[in-house]
Amino acid sequence: MVKNKNAFGVMMLMLAAIIWGSAFSAQSIGARYVNAYTFLAIRSWISFIAMIPVVCFFKKKKSGGEKTKDKSYKKTLFIASLCSGFFLFFASAMQQIGIKESNASKAGFITALYVILVPIISIIFFKAKEGIRLWISVVLSIIGMFLLCIHGGISLQYGDAILLFCALLFALQIITVGHFVKKVDVLDLSIFQFFVVACFSSVVMIVVEKPPVDMIIKALPALLYVGVLSGACGYTLQNVGQLYVRPSIASLLMSLESVFSAVFAWIILGEVLGGRELIGAIMMFVAIIVAQLPTKGDE
């Protein structure tokens, strides 16, 4: 029975990775019609609205609802949502800009570098201890980045540099969530960080972009896909999957979104990586795998 539950958890996390990987193609399509903050604002409102029935459903299943009514809990939830929402807003905006300037397959691999950046940031700022495995991953990822992104000289293309910055922001968001997830309900944090992202991006959209309605309508299929599936469904699948799968294995499974982003970019957008880029992408994925392999100390 335990094995069946574990298999169910693995299936949920694999499905989340597939959805997140395919979302890069949807974002690339949406970028043809609307600018970054417009796309982000509308997709975040869609995610927030879609999460409402999900949260209500799980709240009914849970006991001990008194905690959510506590004033100190609400204050912590507000701070957690504001901090994680800000990083998610900034990271998502950079990702959407980067995808427009680069392509969906490379975007998936470069964004996935957050898996390696998280432990590096933890070492620098929180004095965490990591073994030789991490440094092997760092070397592999740097070589992979060079092969994947550097063309005709030692310089990143604009879109690739934006996506690398996006990976750093996602790493900061993950660290923030890791800090607060022990203090607040995961679903509460998910839905309210979407609300924060929606508010921030809506302000920038209104002030800077002022999108025409006809372009929003053209981008609506991509917006609905990313908002409902990548946002609401993806995060719910992650939460359910992690009930039955060890964190180290869960991280490994979720990092497969980088592979699926390239697969869907090939199927949907017809994007093909050249031989040099393919070797770089493979090296980056190997680096992600090595960084997330479980050790004897994992629970």
Side-chain angles (χ1 to χ4, degrees):
M1 191 67 184
V2 174
K3 286 184 180 179
N4 289 337
K5 284 184 177 180
N6 184 72
F8 176 74
V10 168
M11 253 171 41
M12 295 298 99
L13 292 168
M14 282 287 288
L15 188 52
I18 291 169
I19 290 170
W20 289 334
S22 66
F24 282 98
S25 294
Q27 286 175 253
S28 185
I29 292 168
R32 298 171 188 172
Y33 304 108
V34 294
N35 291 322
Y37 294 103
T38 299
F39 190 92
L40 182 56
I42 297 171
R43 71 168 278 190
S44 297
W45 283 117
I46 291 170
S47 295
F48 173 71
I49 293 165
M51 280 291 291
I52 292 172
V54 174
V55 172
C56 290
F57 174 79
F58 278 100
K59 288 290 182 186
K60 283 181 183 177
K61 295 284 184 184
K62 278 187 175 182
S63 58
E66 305 81 25
K67 183 184 177 184
T68 60
K69 297 174 185 177
D70 185 74
K71 263 190 176 180
S72 63
Y73 175 85
K74 288 179 180 178
K75 183 181 177 181
T76 305
L77 179 60
F78 173 78
I79 295 168
S81 302
L82 190 63
C83 293
S84 63
F86 171 76
F87 282 123
L88 185 58
F89 155 71
F90 202 2
S92 300
M94 292 300 101
Q95 184 183 69
Q96 191 62 27
I97 292 168
I99 287 173
K100 190 174 182 179
E101 298 294 329
S102 183
N103 62 55
S105 54
K106 286 205 300 187
F109 280 104
I110 297 172
T111 301
L113 280 174
Y114 67 74
V115 181
I116 296 167
L117 291 171
V118 168
I120 291 175
I121 293 169
S122 298
I123 288 170
I124 295 170
F125 293 101
F126 302 105
K127 309 299 180 187
K129 293 183 179 178
E130 294 288 348
I132 189 67
R133 185 185 61 179
L134 174 70
W135 304 116
I136 292 171
S137 297
V138 170
V139 171
L140 285 173
S141 66
I142 290 170
I143 296 170
M145 274 285 293
F146 182 86
L147 293 173
L148 183 64
C149 303
I150 307 299
H151 302 279
I154 306 177
S155 64
L156 287 172
Q157 292 183 358
Y158 174 69
D160 301 332
I162 291 291
L163 288 166
L164 186 56
F165 181 49
C166 155
L168 173 62
L169 291 168
F170 271 123
L172 293 172
Q173 192 265 348
I174 290 165
I175 289 169
T176 303
V177 170
H179 172 73
F180 283 111
V181 79
K182 300 166 187 174
K183 302 177 181 181
V184 299
D185 184 87
V186 173
L187 286 175
D188 285 343
L189 182 57
S190 294
I191 189 169
F192 285 113
Q193 76 176 7
F194 279 133
F195 179 73
V196 170
V197 175
C199 290
F200 276 132
S201 49
S202 294
V203 171
V204 180
M205 175 189 74
I206 292 165
V207 173
V208 177
E209 294 180 348
K210 297 172 181 154
V213 176
D214 61 322
M215 289 293 104
I216 292 174
I217 292 170
K218 287 180 181 178
L220 198 56
L223 287 163
L224 285 168
Y225 186 89
V226 175
V228 175
L229 289 180
S230 180
C233 292
Y235 278 95
T236 302
L237 287 167
Q238 177 189 351
N239 292 334
V240 173
Q242 286 197 256
L243 290 173
Y244 308 113
V245 179
R246 284 166 40 208
S248 56
I249 303 299
S251 297
L252 174 60
L253 288 162
M254 287 185 286
S255 73
L256 290 175
E257 69 175 295
S258 60
V259 171
F260 291 121
S261 72
V263 171
F264 279 103
W266 170 59
I267 295 170
I268 298 170
L269 304 177
E271 292 182 3
V272 180
L273 294 172
R276 171 191 166 100
E277 291 176 318
L278 187 59
I279 292 169
I282 291 168
M283 289 188 73
M284 289 174 68
F285 183 65
V286 169
I288 293 165
I289 296 292
V290 171
Q292 291 300 299
L293 284 175
T295 61
K296 289 181 181 179
D298 290 332
E299 290 178 5

